[in-house]
Each structure stands twice: as C-alpha cells, then as structure tokens.
Amino acid sequence: MYEVEIKVPADLETVRDRLRELDADPGETRRQRDVYYDAPHREFAETDEALRIRRETTIDGGDTHRDASTDGEAVRLTYKGPLLDGDSKTRTEHETDVADGDELAGVLDGLGFDPAATVEKRREYWRFEEFTVALDAVEGVGEFVEIEREVDAEDAIDPTREAAIGTLARLGLDAADQVRTSYLGLLLADG
Amino acid sequence: MYEVEIKVPADLETVRDRLRELDADPGETRRQRDVYYDAPHREFAETDEALRIRRETTIDGGDTHRDASTDGEAVRLTYKGPLLDGDSKTRTEHETDVADGDELAGVLDGLGFDPAATVEKRREYWRFEEFTVALDAVEGVGEFVEIEREVDAEDAIDPTREAAIGTLARLGLDAADQVRTSYLGLLLADG
C-alpha cells in the first residue's frame, strides 16, 4: 500500500466554499492533539524517528451516519522509524489504538520519554473525486489542504499524483506550492 | 486503594474440589501470556522496574453472563516503577488496554526494547468469602493459589490479611507457605 499525498497552504474558507459549489461530500471534523516525545537514549531528530500520542475527538459528524456526540476521545500510539533507504520514502510505522491516554503517557514518562512538542489542529474531512481532502487549521502554523489517496501498486503512484494535481487545481490550489515538511517540522522551525 | 494478596503453592485439583464443596462461585478462566521487556537504556533488574505486554483470552466464561466465545484477545501494556520507599510496597504503576498487540510490540521493538522473558499461565477465577481466589497453572514454574481483596483504607490491611489467612485455611492452604517472588522472578530463578 502506498499513500499519494500532496499538502499545500490554503485559505480554508475559500476551499470550503469551492468544495460546496462542486457538491463534494463533507465528512467528519476532528480535533487532533499530537504530543511528540523525546527519547532518553536516542536523538530522534538525528535518527529520523518519531514517537507520538494522538488524542482525537470528533466535533462534527458531517454527513456520516455516526452520532458524533457519542464519540469519546480516541487515543493512538504511533512509532515512525527512520527511512529504510534514501531513494524511497518508505519507513517502518507501528500504530495502535489505546484505551487510556493518561496511563499511556504515564508509561512513557516512567520509561524516561519526555513530551517535546504538541501539534494541535482542527481537521475537516471531505470526499471529492476519489480523493480524501483534509482541511487542516494547525495552531501556531497555519491553514493547509492535504489531498490523499492510497494505491495498491507502485505503478499507480504517478497517475494518481497527476490526478491529485488536477483535483487540487479544480479546488483553486496549485500543487507547485507543495509543502513537504511535517506540521511538527513547521512548528519547530517557526518556534 | 491497597491490595491485600497472598500467594501460596498449591495442588489446583485439590483446591478446586474444595471450592466446589464449599459452594464457591466459579468465574472466568483465562490464558495469560506476559512478555517482559528489557530496556535499551536501563537495567530493569537493577532499577526494579518492569515493562510488560499481557495478552489474555477467556477460555471459559464460568458462571458469568458473558459469552466467552465472543471475547477476542485482550492486550494490556503495564509499566511498574521502582518501590517509592523502602518501608511500603508502594510503586508507580501505569496500565492501559491496547487494541493491537503486534503493533504495540512493533513500537517497543522500534524503540529498542527487547522481549526478555515470557510468563504463560492458565488462571481460573473463583469468588469465595469476599475474596478473589485465582488458581494459577504457570508454565515452567508450577501451580499456585493467589487470594486477594482490595481495601480502601490503610487500617483495613491487617484485618483483611487475617481474614485471608482464615479463608486460605478453609481451602486447606497455609499462609505460612507464602511466596513473595513474582512468577517472572520464579521463572528466571529456575532457568
């Protein structure tokens, strides 16, 4: 499975209006609070790893049939390993949902991992032309649109990327503005 | 909250017969597989900490109303910190259920934690005289009975311990045989 993804800075209100005009399907809106940890035994910035606890709440159910008000906080632990080789962007990733975020934070604290940075955003999902379009308002960083689709085969990556560029254009966005830095990277660069 | 607990070696078949004679309430039977990890930056044996992934399946629902067959594997992450002071047996403990044990193991592996020892047991719960009685068959270690009850106040510890000794006696067991070493400790001492 490969993920084709393009992220560009955007004025979310303008993009939202355009999505409505184009009759795109609105999905859930979520608040995501990501805490990134420092390790006691490695410099993650040098090893290109990341350890994160994400806490997520659905604040609007959109057109889905789920009742957003019954959703509690979802907590997810994610480890991202270093890039496996220089050519590809493949990295090991391990991720699981966790029942209790405070207890998980307690485990990491006990082991000597320290919360290093927090990325908070409001993420609004839309479905448009076979792509997932996320409208992200990232605190202290800015507003961005991420367009993405998963593909099974490597030879589907380039055509899907071309399609994503076209879909972005119909939303009034230019893929040439692509930002490759993560929100964490943007937050730290800004700080 | 304090946990009053006494563990003694026992012949489980004899104790089970005795529990039936005394009309005790049988509960669930579970298979527990505990993997204890070594840390990359600390010697847990010296710091008196522990990091564990427990995978648990219910293999018999006992008299409870839950349908054991619908239970999948439950996974729990536990960190036990060092004893807080020499007098008490109080230690920091953080614990949370986790959705995916393989992904969690992947996170720990990525961070450099290594599986060091595995304790597997069949644990059969009974309820008798306000105590939880666990009949434990621990692979490579032996058969034990653990009797326990949680108490709210510190001054309830001694009377509850006296009651536990009496309850053990009615099961044909002698609290003087108490084993204070953990199953992990017994396994490692034996290995």
Side-chain angles (χ1 to χ4, degrees), chain B residues 150-164:
Chain B
E150 285 185 346
V151 296
D152 286 329
E154 199 169 352
D155 61 9
I157 294 177
D158 284 345
T160 303
R161 196 178 152 78
E162 285 308 309

Side-chain angles (χ1 to χ4, degrees), chain B residues 39-51:
Chain B
H41 59 306
R42 291 181 194 164
E43 195 61 60
F44 280 166
E46 284 167 22
T47 57
D48 193 27
E49 297 167 274
L51 182 66

Side-chain angles (χ1 to χ4, degrees), chain B residues 10-11 14 23 28 32 41 49 71-72 81 84 89 95 98 110 112 115 117 126 132 140 148 170 172 184-185 191:
Chain B
D11 178 73
T14 306
D23 211 26
E28 293 185 343
Q32 295 177 337
H41 59 306
E49 297 167 274
D71 277 352
L84 294 178
K89 290 208 66 178
E95 191 163 67
V98 168
W126 291 76
T132 299
E148 69 175 61
R170 278 181 288 284
L184 174 64

Side-chain angles (χ1 to χ4, degrees), chain B residues 17 21 39 64 68 72 75 108 111 126 167-169 171 182 186:
Chain B
D17 288 346
E21 280 169 28
T64 66
V75 182
L108 293 184
L111 293 171
W126 291 76
T167 299
L168 274 176
L171 296 177
S182 68
L186 294 172

Side-chain angles (χ1 to χ4, degrees), chain A residues 104-118:
Chain A
L104 178 62
V107 171
L108 294 184
D109 176 64
L111 293 171
F113 291 78
D114 288 320
T118 301

